[in-house]
Amino acid sequence: MAISNNSVHGRIEQARMELSATQVAAGLALVAALGFALLFLQEPMVHDSMHNFRHAAGVTCH
C-alpha cells in the first residue's frame, strides 16, 4: 500500500526536500512585498496617482 503525499504535512515535507534556501527566501520576499503593497497602496492619494498613471499610459480601466 503506497502512502499518499496529499496532505499539508506531506506537501511541506516535499517542499523542504525540493526547494533550496534561496528559493524559499525569494518566495517569502515576494509574499512580503505583495502584502506590503496591498496594505499600503490603499491610500487614496496613491490609488489616485496609480489611476492617473494608467490613464496616461493609455490603459482603459472603466
Side-chain angles (χ1 to χ4, degrees), residues 41-60:
L41 289 184
Q42 292 182 17
E43 293 293 326
M45 191 168 68
V46 175
H47 176 82
D48 289 344
S49 68
M50 294 286 286
H51 184 89
N52 293 337
F53 175 77
R54 285 191 297 267
H55 281 292
V59 176
T60 305

Side-chain angles (χ1 to χ4, degrees), residues 10-62:
R11 291 178 192 153
I12 291 171
E13 287 302 317
Q14 183 178 1
R16 271 192 196 144
M17 290 185 294
E18 293 180 3
L19 297 176
S20 69
T22 305
Q23 290 172 319
V24 171
L28 289 175
L30 178 63
V31 169
L34 289 173
F36 178 83
L38 289 173
L39 184 63
F40 290 105
L41 289 184
Q42 292 182 17
E43 293 293 326
M45 191 168 68
V46 175
H47 176 82
D48 289 344
S49 68
M50 294 286 286
H51 184 89
N52 293 337
F53 175 77
R54 285 191 297 267
H55 281 292
V59 176
T60 305
C61 55
H62 30 149

